[in-house]
Coordinates of all heavy atoms in Angstrom, one line a residue:
M4 N -8.3 139.2 11.4 CA -8.4 138.8 12.6 C -8.6 137.3 12.7 O -9.3 136.7 11.8 CB -9.6 139.5 13.3 CG -9.8 139.2 14.8 SD -8.4 139.5 15.8 CE -8.8 141.1 16.4
M5 N -7.9 136.6 13.6 CA -8.1 135.1 13.6 C -9.4 134.7 14.1 O -10.0 135.3 15.1 CB -6.9 134.5 14.5 CG -5.7 134.4 13.9 SD -5.7 133.3 12.5 CE -5.2 134.3 11.2
Q6 N -9.8 133.6 13.7 CA -11.1 132.9 14.2 C -10.8 132.2 15.5 O -9.6 132.0 15.9 CB -11.6 132.0 13.2 CG -12.0 132.7 11.8 CD -13.0 133.8 12.0 OE1 -13.9 133.7 12.5 NE2 -12.6 135.0 11.6
K7 N -11.7 131.7 16.1 CA -11.6 131.0 17.4 C -10.6 129.8 17.3 O -9.7 129.7 18.0 CB -12.9 130.4 17.8 CG -12.9 129.9 19.2 CD -14.3 129.6 19.7 CE -14.2 129.0 21.1 NZ -15.6 128.6 21.6
N8 N -10.7 129.0 16.1 CA -9.8 127.9 15.8 C -8.8 128.5 14.9 O -9.1 128.7 13.7 CB -10.5 126.7 15.4 CG -9.6 125.6 15.1 OD1 -8.4 125.7 14.9 ND2 -10.2 124.4 15.3
E9 N -7.6 128.8 15.4 CA -6.6 129.5 14.6 C -6.2 128.7 13.3 O -5.6 129.4 12.4 CB -5.4 129.8 15.4 CG -5.6 130.9 16.4 CD -6.0 130.5 17.8 OE1 -6.3 129.2 17.9 OE2 -6.2 131.2 18.6
C10 N -6.3 127.4 13.3 CA -5.8 126.7 12.1 C -6.8 126.5 11.0 O -6.4 126.5 9.9 CB -5.2 125.3 12.5 SG -3.6 125.6 13.3
K11 N -8.0 126.2 11.3 CA -8.9 125.8 10.2 C -9.1 127.0 9.4 O -9.6 128.1 9.8 CB -10.2 125.4 10.9 CG -10.1 124.1 11.6 CD -11.2 123.1 11.2 CE -11.1 121.7 11.8 NZ -10.2 121.3 12.6
G12 N -8.9 126.9 8.1 CA -9.1 127.9 7.2 C -8.2 129.1 7.2 O -8.4 130.1 6.7
C13 N -6.9 128.9 7.8 CA -6.1 130.0 8.0 C -5.4 130.4 6.6 O -5.2 131.5 6.4 CB -4.8 129.6 8.9 SG -3.9 128.1 8.4
V14 N -5.4 129.4 5.6 CA -5.0 129.8 4.3 C -5.9 129.0 3.4 O -6.4 128.0 3.8 CB -3.5 129.5 4.0 CG1 -2.6 130.4 4.9 CG2 -3.1 128.0 4.4
E15 N -5.9 129.4 2.1 CA -6.7 128.7 1.2 C -6.1 127.5 0.5 O -6.7 126.6 0.1 CB -7.0 129.7 0.0 CG -8.0 130.8 0.5 CD -8.3 131.8 -0.5 OE1 -7.8 131.7 -1.7 OE2 -9.0 132.8 -0.3
S16 N -4.7 127.4 0.5 CA -4.1 126.4 -0.1 C -3.1 125.7 0.9 O -2.6 126.4 1.8 CB -3.2 126.8 -1.3 OG -2.4 125.9 -1.8
V17 N -2.8 124.5 0.7 CA -1.7 123.9 1.5 C -0.3 124.3 1.2 O 0.6 124.0 1.9 CB -1.8 122.4 1.6 CG1 -3.1 122.0 2.2 CG2 -1.7 121.8 0.3
I18 N -0.2 124.8 -0.1 CA 1.1 125.3 -0.5 C 1.1 126.8 -0.4 O 0.4 127.5 -1.1 CB 1.4 124.8 -2.0 CG1 1.3 123.3 -2.2 CG2 2.6 125.3 -2.5 CD1 1.3 122.8 -3.5
V19 N 2.0 127.2 0.4 CA 2.0 128.7 0.7 C 3.4 129.3 0.6 O 4.4 128.6 0.7 CB 1.4 129.1 2.1 CG1 -0.1 128.6 2.2 CG2 2.2 128.3 3.2
S20 N 3.3 130.7 0.2 CA 4.7 131.3 0.1 C 5.2 131.7 1.4 O 4.5 131.8 2.4 CB 4.4 132.6 -0.8 OG 3.6 133.5 0.0
E21 N 6.5 132.1 1.4 CA 7.1 132.6 2.7 C 6.4 133.9 3.1 O 6.2 134.1 4.3 CB 8.6 132.9 2.4 CG 9.4 133.3 3.6 CD 9.4 132.3 4.6 OE1 9.4 131.1 4.4 OE2 9.6 132.7 5.9
E22 N 6.0 134.7 2.1 CA 5.3 135.9 2.5 C 3.9 135.6 3.2 O 3.7 136.3 4.2 CB 4.9 136.6 1.1 CG 4.4 138.0 1.3 CD 4.0 138.6 0.0 OE1 3.6 138.0 -0.9 OE2 4.5 139.8 -0.1
V23 N 3.2 134.7 2.8 CA 2.0 134.2 3.6 C 2.3 133.8 5.0 O 1.6 134.2 5.9 CB 1.2 133.3 2.7 CG1 0.0 132.7 3.6 CG2 0.6 133.9 1.5
I24 N 3.3 133.0 5.1 CA 3.7 132.4 6.4 C 4.1 133.6 7.3 O 3.7 133.6 8.4 CB 4.8 131.4 6.2 CG1 4.3 130.1 5.5 CG2 5.3 131.0 7.7 CD1 5.4 129.2 5.2
E25 N 4.8 134.6 6.8 CA 5.3 135.7 7.6 C 4.1 136.5 8.1 O 4.0 137.1 9.1 CB 6.3 136.6 6.7 CG 7.7 136.0 6.6 CD 8.4 135.7 7.8 OE1 8.2 136.4 8.9 OE2 9.1 134.7 7.9
E26 N 3.1 136.7 7.2 CA 1.9 137.4 7.5 C 1.1 136.7 8.6 O 0.7 137.3 9.6 CB 1.0 137.6 6.3 CG -0.1 138.5 6.4 CD 0.4 139.9 6.7 OE1 1.5 140.3 6.2 OE2 -0.3 140.6 7.6
L27 N 1.0 135.4 8.5 CA 0.4 134.5 9.5 C 1.2 134.7 10.9 O 0.5 134.9 12.1 CB 0.4 133.0 9.2 CG -0.7 132.8 8.3 CD1 -0.4 131.3 7.7 CD2 -2.0 132.8 8.6
L28 N 2.4 134.7 11.0 CA 3.3 134.8 12.1 C 3.1 136.2 12.7 O 3.1 136.4 14.0 CB 4.7 134.5 11.8 CG 5.0 133.0 11.4 CD1 6.5 132.8 11.1 CD2 4.6 132.1 12.5
K29 N 2.9 137.1 11.9 CA 2.7 138.6 12.4 C 1.4 138.6 13.1 O 1.2 139.2 14.2 CB 2.7 139.6 11.2 CG 3.9 140.4 11.1 CD 3.7 141.5 10.2 CE 4.7 141.4 9.0 NZ 4.4 142.4 8.0
E30 N 0.4 138.1 12.6 CA -0.9 137.9 13.3 C -0.8 137.3 14.6 O -1.4 137.7 15.5 CB -1.9 137.3 12.4 CG -2.4 138.1 11.2 CD -3.5 137.6 10.4 OE1 -4.4 136.8 11.0 OE2 -3.7 137.7 9.2
A31 N -0.2 136.1 14.6 CA 0.0 135.4 15.8 C 0.8 136.2 16.8 O 0.3 136.2 18.1 CB 0.9 134.1 15.5
A32 N 1.7 137.0 16.5 CA 2.4 137.9 17.4 C 1.5 138.9 18.1 O 1.9 139.5 19.1 CB 3.5 138.5 16.7
E33 N 0.4 139.1 17.6 CA -0.7 140.1 18.2 C -1.3 139.6 19.4 O -1.9 140.4 20.2 CB -1.7 140.5 17.1 CG -1.1 141.3 16.0 CD -2.1 141.5 14.8 OE1 -3.3 141.2 15.0 OE2 -1.6 142.0 13.8
T34 N -1.2 138.3 19.6 CA -1.8 137.7 20.9 C -0.6 136.8 21.6 O -0.8 135.6 21.6 CB -3.0 136.8 20.5 OG1 -2.5 135.8 19.5 CG2 -4.2 137.6 19.9
P35 N 0.3 137.5 22.1 CA 1.4 136.8 22.7 C 1.0 136.0 23.9 O 1.7 134.9 24.1 CB 2.3 138.0 23.2 CG 1.5 139.2 23.2 CD 0.4 139.0 22.2
E36 N -0.1 136.3 24.6 CA -0.5 135.4 25.6 C -0.9 134.0 25.3 O -1.0 133.1 26.1 CB -1.7 136.1 26.5 CG -2.9 136.2 25.7 CD -3.1 137.3 24.6 OE1 -2.1 138.0 24.4 OE2 -4.2 137.3 24.0
K37 N -1.2 133.9 24.0 CA -1.7 132.5 23.4 C -0.5 131.7 23.0 O -0.7 130.5 22.5 CB -2.6 132.7 22.2 CG -3.9 133.3 22.6 CD -4.8 133.5 21.4 CE -6.2 134.0 21.7 NZ -7.0 134.1 20.6
L38 N 0.7 132.3 23.0 CA 1.9 131.6 22.3 C 2.8 130.9 23.3 O 2.9 131.2 24.5 CB 2.7 132.6 21.5 CG 1.9 133.5 20.5 CD1 2.8 134.5 19.8 CD2 1.0 132.7 19.6
V39 N 3.4 129.9 22.7 CA 4.4 129.1 23.6 C 5.7 129.8 23.7 O 6.0 130.8 22.8 CB 4.6 127.7 23.0 CG1 3.4 126.9 23.1 CG2 5.2 127.8 21.6
L40 N 6.5 129.5 24.6 CA 7.9 130.1 24.6 C 8.6 129.7 23.5 O 8.3 128.7 22.7 CB 8.7 129.4 25.9 CG 8.1 129.8 27.2 CD1 8.8 129.0 28.4 CD2 8.3 131.3 27.5
D41 N 9.6 130.4 23.0 CA 10.3 130.2 21.8 C 11.0 128.8 21.9 O 11.1 128.2 20.8 CB 11.4 131.3 21.5 CG 11.8 131.2 20.1 OD1 11.0 131.2 19.1 OD2 13.1 131.0 19.9
S42 N 11.5 128.5 23.0 CA 12.2 127.1 23.2 C 11.2 126.0 22.8 O 11.5 125.0 22.1 CB 12.8 126.9 24.5 OG 11.8 127.0 25.5
V43 N 10.0 126.2 23.2 CA 8.9 125.1 22.9 C 8.6 125.1 21.4 O 8.6 124.2 20.8 CB 7.6 125.4 23.7 CG1 6.6 124.5 23.3 CG2 7.9 125.2 25.3
Y44 N 8.5 126.4 20.9 CA 8.2 126.5 19.5 C 9.4 125.9 18.6 O 9.0 125.0 17.7 CB 8.1 128.0 19.1 CG 7.9 128.3 17.7 CD1 6.7 128.0 17.0 CD2 8.8 129.1 16.9 CE1 6.5 128.3 15.9 CE2 8.6 129.5 15.7 CZ 7.3 129.1 15.1 OH 7.1 129.4 13.7
Q45 N 10.6 126.1 19.0 CA 11.7 125.5 18.2 C 11.7 124.0 18.3 O 12.0 123.3 17.3 CB 13.1 126.1 18.7 CG 13.1 127.6 18.4 CD 13.0 128.0 16.9 OE1 13.3 127.1 16.0 NE2 12.4 129.1 16.6
E46 N 11.4 123.4 19.5 CA 11.4 122.0 19.7 C 10.2 121.4 18.8 O 10.4 120.4 18.2 CB 11.1 121.7 21.2 CG 10.9 120.2 21.5 CD 12.1 119.3 21.2 OE1 13.3 120.0 21.1 OE2 11.9 118.1 21.1
R47 N 9.1 122.1 18.8 CA 8.0 121.5 17.9 C 8.3 121.6 16.5 O 8.0 120.6 15.8 CB 6.7 122.5 18.2 CG 6.0 122.3 19.6 CD 4.9 123.2 19.8 NE 4.1 122.9 20.8 CZ 2.9 123.5 21.1 NH1 2.6 124.5 20.3 NH2 2.2 123.2 22.2
L48 N 8.9 122.6 16.1 CA 9.2 122.7 14.6 C 10.3 121.7 14.3 O 10.4 121.1 13.2 CB 9.9 124.1 14.3 CG 8.8 125.2 14.3 CD1 9.5 126.5 13.9 CD2 7.6 124.8 13.5
S49 N 11.3 121.4 15.2 CA 12.3 120.4 14.9 C 11.6 119.1 14.8 O 12.0 118.3 13.9 CB 13.3 120.4 16.2 OG 14.1 119.3 16.1
I50 N 10.6 118.7 15.6 CA 9.9 117.4 15.4 C 9.2 117.4 14.1 O 9.2 116.4 13.5 CB 9.0 117.3 16.6 CG1 9.7 117.1 17.9 CG2 7.9 116.2 16.4 CD1 8.8 117.2 19.2
C51 N 8.5 118.4 13.7 CA 7.8 118.5 12.5 C 8.7 118.4 11.3 O 8.4 117.7 10.3 CB 7.0 119.9 12.4 SG 5.6 120.0 13.4
R52 N 9.9 118.9 11.4 CA 10.9 118.8 10.3 C 11.3 117.3 10.0 O 11.6 117.0 8.9 CB 12.1 119.6 10.5 CG 11.9 121.2 10.2 CD 13.3 121.8 10.1 NE 13.8 122.1 11.5 CZ 13.6 123.0 12.2 NH1 12.9 124.0 11.8 NH2 14.2 123.1 13.5
D53 N 11.3 116.6 11.2 CA 11.7 115.2 11.0 C 10.5 114.3 10.7 O 10.7 113.1 10.7 CB 12.4 114.7 12.2 CG 13.8 115.3 12.4 OD1 14.3 115.8 11.4 OD2 14.2 115.4 13.6
C54 N 9.3 114.8 10.6 CA 8.0 114.0 10.5 C 7.8 113.8 9.0 O 7.8 114.6 8.2 CB 6.9 114.8 11.2 SG 5.3 113.8 11.1
T55 N 7.5 112.6 8.7 CA 7.1 112.1 7.4 C 5.8 112.7 6.9 O 5.4 112.6 5.8 CB 7.1 110.5 7.2 OG1 6.1 110.0 8.2 CG2 8.4 109.9 7.5
S56 N 4.9 113.3 7.8 CA 3.7 113.9 7.4 C 3.8 115.3 7.1 O 2.8 116.0 6.8 CB 2.7 113.7 8.6 OG 2.5 112.4 8.9
L57 N 5.0 115.9 7.2 CA 5.3 117.3 6.8 C 5.2 117.3 5.3 O 6.1 116.6 4.6 CB 6.5 117.8 7.3 CG 6.8 119.3 7.0 CD1 5.7 120.2 7.7 CD2 8.1 119.8 7.5
Q58 N 4.4 118.0 4.6 CA 4.3 118.2 3.2 C 4.9 119.5 2.8 O 4.5 120.6 3.4 CB 2.8 118.1 2.8 CG 2.1 116.9 3.3 CD 2.7 115.5 2.7 OE1 2.6 115.4 1.4 NE2 3.3 114.7 3.5
Y59 N 5.5 119.5 1.7 CA 6.0 120.8 1.1 C 6.9 121.6 1.9 O 7.2 122.7 1.8 CB 4.8 121.6 0.5 CG 3.8 120.9 -0.1 CD1 2.5 120.8 0.5 CD2 4.0 120.3 -1.4 CE1 1.6 120.1 -0.2 CE2 3.0 119.6 -2.1 CZ 1.7 119.5 -1.4 OH 0.8 118.7 -2.0
G60 N 7.4 120.9 3.0 CA 8.2 121.6 4.0 C 7.5 122.6 4.9 O 8.1 123.3 5.7
T61 N 6.1 122.6 4.7 CA 5.4 123.7 5.4 C 4.2 123.2 6.2 O 3.7 123.8 7.1 CB 4.9 124.8 4.5 OG1 4.1 124.2 3.4 CG2 6.1 125.6 3.9
T62 N 3.6 122.1 5.6 CA 2.1 121.8 5.9 C 2.0 120.5 6.5 O 2.5 119.4 6.0 CB 1.4 121.9 4.5 OG1 1.6 123.1 4.0 CG2 -0.1 121.7 4.8
C63 N 1.2 120.3 7.6 CA 1.0 119.0 8.2 C -0.1 118.3 7.4 O -1.2 118.9 7.1 CB 0.5 119.2 9.7 SG 0.1 117.7 10.5
A64 N 0.2 117.0 7.0 CA -0.8 116.3 6.2 C -2.1 115.9 7.1 O -3.1 115.7 6.5 CB -0.1 115.0 5.7
Y65 N -1.8 115.9 8.4 CA -3.1 115.6 9.2 C -4.1 116.6 9.3 O -5.3 116.4 9.4 CB -2.6 115.2 10.6 CG -2.1 113.8 10.7 CD1 -0.7 113.5 10.5 CD2 -2.9 112.6 10.8 CE1 -0.2 112.2 10.5 CE2 -2.5 111.4 10.8 CZ -1.1 111.2 10.6 OH -0.6 109.9 10.6
S66 N -3.6 118.0 9.3 CA -4.6 119.1 9.7 C -4.6 120.0 8.5 O -5.6 120.8 8.4 CB -4.1 119.8 10.8 OG -2.8 120.3 10.7
G67 N -3.6 120.0 7.6 CA -3.6 121.0 6.6 C -3.0 122.3 7.0 O -3.0 123.4 6.3
C68 N -2.6 122.3 8.4 CA -2.1 123.6 8.9 C -0.6 123.8 8.6 O 0.1 122.9 8.4 CB -2.1 123.5 10.5 SG -3.9 123.5 11.1
I69 N -0.2 125.0 8.5 CA 1.1 125.4 8.3 C 1.8 125.3 9.7 O 1.4 126.0 10.7 CB 1.1 127.0 8.0 CG1 0.3 127.2 6.6 CG2 2.5 127.3 7.7 CD1 0.6 126.4 5.5
V70 N 2.7 124.3 9.7 CA 3.2 124.0 11.1 C 3.9 125.3 11.9 O 3.9 125.3 13.0 CB 4.2 122.8 11.1 CG1 3.3 121.6 10.7 CG2 5.4 123.0 10.2
R71 N 4.6 126.1 11.0 CA 5.2 127.2 11.6 C 4.2 128.2 12.3 O 4.6 129.0 13.1 CB 6.0 128.0 10.6 CG 7.3 127.3 10.2 CD 8.1 128.0 9.1 NE 8.3 129.3 9.2 CZ 8.7 130.1 8.3 NH1 8.8 129.7 7.0 NH2 8.9 131.4 8.5
Y72 N 3.0 128.0 11.9 CA 1.8 128.9 12.6 C 1.2 128.0 13.7 O 1.2 128.5 14.8 CB 0.8 129.1 11.5 CG -0.4 130.0 12.0 CD1 -0.1 131.3 12.4 CD2 -1.6 129.5 12.2 CE1 -1.2 132.1 12.8 CE2 -2.6 130.2 12.6 CZ -2.4 131.5 12.9 OH -3.5 132.3 13.4
R73 N 0.8 126.8 13.4 CA 0.1 126.0 14.5 C 1.0 125.8 15.7 O 0.6 125.9 16.8 CB -0.1 124.6 13.8 CG -0.9 123.8 14.7 CD -1.2 122.4 14.2 NE -2.1 121.6 15.1 CZ -3.4 121.4 14.9 NH1 -4.1 122.0 14.0 NH2 -4.0 120.7 15.8
A74 N 2.3 125.6 15.5 CA 3.2 125.3 16.6 C 3.4 126.5 17.5 O 4.0 126.4 18.6 CB 4.7 124.8 16.0
K75 N 3.0 127.6 17.1 CA 3.1 128.9 17.9 C 2.1 128.9 19.1 O 2.5 129.5 20.1 CB 2.8 130.1 17.1 CG 3.9 130.5 16.1 CD 4.8 131.4 17.0 CE 6.0 132.1 16.2 NZ 7.0 132.6 17.1
F76 N 1.0 128.1 19.0 CA -0.1 128.2 20.0 C 0.0 127.2 21.0 O 0.1 126.0 20.9 CB -1.4 128.2 19.1 CG -1.7 129.4 18.4 CD1 -1.3 129.3 17.0 CD2 -2.1 130.5 18.8 CE1 -1.4 130.4 16.2 CE2 -2.4 131.7 18.0 CZ -1.9 131.6 16.7
K77 N -0.2 127.7 22.3 CA -0.2 126.8 23.5 C -1.3 125.8 23.4 O -1.0 124.6 23.8 CB -0.5 127.8 24.7 CG 0.6 128.7 25.2 CD 0.1 129.4 26.4 CE 1.1 130.4 26.8 NZ 0.6 131.4 27.8
R78 N -2.5 126.1 22.9 CA -3.6 125.2 23.0 C -3.6 124.3 21.7 O -4.5 123.4 21.6 CB -4.8 125.9 23.2 CG -5.3 126.8 22.1 CD -6.5 127.6 22.5 NE -7.0 128.4 21.4 CZ -8.0 128.1 20.6 NH1 -8.6 127.0 20.8 NH2 -8.4 128.9 19.7
K79 N -2.6 124.3 20.9 CA -2.6 123.4 19.8 C -1.6 122.3 20.1 O -0.6 122.4 20.8 CB -2.1 124.1 18.5 CG -3.1 125.1 18.0 CD -4.3 124.5 17.4 CE -5.3 125.5 17.0 NZ -6.5 124.8 16.6
A80 N -2.0 121.2 19.5 CA -1.2 119.9 19.7 C -1.0 119.3 18.4 O -1.7 119.6 17.3 CB -1.9 118.9 20.6
C81 N 0.0 118.5 18.2 CA 0.1 117.7 16.9 C -1.2 116.9 16.7 O -1.8 116.3 17.5 CB 1.3 116.7 17.1 SG 1.5 115.5 15.8
P82 N -1.7 117.1 15.4 CA -3.0 116.5 15.2 C -3.0 115.1 14.8 O -4.1 114.4 14.6 CB -3.5 117.3 14.0 CG -2.2 117.7 13.3 CD -1.1 117.9 14.4
N83 N -1.9 114.4 14.9 CA -1.9 112.9 14.7 C -2.4 112.3 15.9 O -1.7 111.9 16.8 CB -0.4 112.5 14.3 CG -0.3 111.1 14.1 OD1 -1.3 110.4 14.3 ND2 0.8 110.5 13.6
I84 N -3.7 112.0 15.9 CA -4.3 111.5 17.2 C -3.8 110.2 17.6 O -3.6 109.9 18.8 CB -6.0 111.4 17.0 CG1 -6.4 112.9 16.8 CG2 -6.5 110.8 18.1 CD1 -7.8 112.8 16.3
G85 N -3.4 109.2 16.6 CA -2.9 108.1 17.0 C -1.6 108.1 17.5 O -1.1 107.0 18.3
N86 N -0.8 109.1 17.2 CA 0.6 109.1 17.6 C 1.1 110.6 17.7 O 1.9 111.0 16.9 CB 1.6 108.4 16.7 CG 3.0 108.3 17.1 OD1 3.3 108.6 18.3 ND2 3.8 108.1 16.2
P87 N 0.6 111.4 18.5 CA 0.9 112.8 18.6 C 2.3 113.0 19.0 O 2.8 112.4 19.9 CB -0.1 113.3 19.7 CG -0.5 112.2 20.5 CD -0.5 111.0 19.6
K88 N 2.9 113.9 18.3 CA 4.4 114.1 18.6 C 4.7 115.3 19.4 O 5.8 115.4 19.9 CB 5.1 114.1 17.2 CG 5.0 112.9 16.4 CD 5.7 112.7 15.2 CE 5.5 111.3 14.5 NZ 5.9 111.2 13.2
W89 N 3.8 116.2 19.6 CA 3.9 117.2 20.6 C 2.5 117.6 21.1 O 1.5 117.4 20.4 CB 4.7 118.4 20.0 CG 4.4 119.0 18.7 CD1 4.9 118.6 17.5 CD2 3.4 119.9 18.3 NE1 4.5 119.3 16.5 CE2 3.6 120.2 16.9 CE3 2.5 120.6 19.0 CZ2 2.7 121.1 16.3 CZ3 1.7 121.7 18.4 CH2 1.8 121.8 17.1
S90 N 2.6 118.1 22.3 CA 1.3 118.3 23.0 C 1.0 119.8 23.3 O 1.9 120.6 23.2 CB 1.3 117.7 24.4 OG 1.7 116.4 24.2
K91 N -0.3 120.1 23.6 CA -0.5 121.4 24.0 C 0.1 121.8 25.3 O 0.4 120.9 26.1 CB -2.1 121.7 24.0 CG -2.8 121.0 25.1 CD -4.3 121.4 25.2 CE -5.1 120.5 24.3 NZ -6.6 120.8 24.6
V92 N 0.2 123.1 25.5 CA 0.8 123.6 26.7 C -0.3 124.0 27.6 O -1.1 124.9 27.2 CB 1.8 124.8 26.5 CG1 2.3 125.3 27.9 CG2 3.0 124.2 25.7
V93 N -0.4 123.6 28.9 CA -1.5 124.0 29.7 C -1.1 124.8 30.9 O 0.1 124.7 31.2 CB -2.3 122.6 30.2 CG1 -3.2 122.2 29.0 CG2 -1.5 121.7 30.9
Ligands
LIG115 S1 2.1 118.5 13.5 FE1 2.6 116.4 14.1 S2 1.9 115.1 12.3 FE2 1.9 117.2 11.6 S3 4.0 117.5 10.6 FE3 4.1 118.1 12.8 S4 4.8 116.3 14.0 FE4 4.0 115.6 12.0

């Protein structure tokens, strides 16, 4: 079960396998009311893919979050406070 803040401590390492990511995405799918539309999700991921802060192709250097997971949630925003590249959905 996810904690109140879905990103903090979601995984033990910043380098994660596809299997772990799939498991996180399955958990996210259990609360569809918290998730953005797929078009928003794809746009967020597109921005992350072009971002120099994306590490290992999976992980945001600012938050340590797996972007494919973080980008799913309406109330999450890009954690680069000085220059956020995508916003929460309200
Ligand atoms: S969440 Fe923001 S800072 Fe992190 S990889 Fe995506 S665009 Fe870059």
Side-chain angles (χ1 to χ4, degrees):
M4 185 58 96
M5 277 299 120
Q6 301 302 308
K7 190 172 180 189
N8 185 331
E9 287 89 353
C10 284
K11 295 231 180 353
C13 60
V14 291
E15 292 176 3
S16 169
V17 295
I18 303 173
V19 295
S20 67
E21 183 64 26
E22 188 179 42
V23 168
I24 294 172
E25 289 298 328
E26 193 60 37
L27 288 169
L28 294 177
K29 258 194 242 172
E30 284 188 34
E33 292 173 7
T34 54
E36 71 282 1
K37 294 182 178 178
L38 307 182
V39 296
L40 294 174
D41 193 55
S42 57
V43 173
Y44 180 60
Q45 294 304 328
E46 175 66 19
R47 286 176 169 186
L48 290 185
S49 172
I50 293 167
C51 289
R52 276 193 292 271
D53 289 339
C54 179
T55 55
S56 297
L57 185 66
Q58 305 291 301
Y59 318 109
T61 58
T62 308
C63 176
Y65 281 91
S66 63
C68 289
I69 306 305
V70 296
R71 283 170 58 195
Y72 182 70
R73 185 183 184 98
K75 280 278 182 188
F76 292 91
K77 290 177 185 172
R78 67 190 181 96
K79 291 296 179 185
C81 168
N83 180 350
I84 293 170
N86 183 23
K88 297 184 177 171
W89 46 266
S90 305
K91 66 170 93 170
V92 173
V93 288

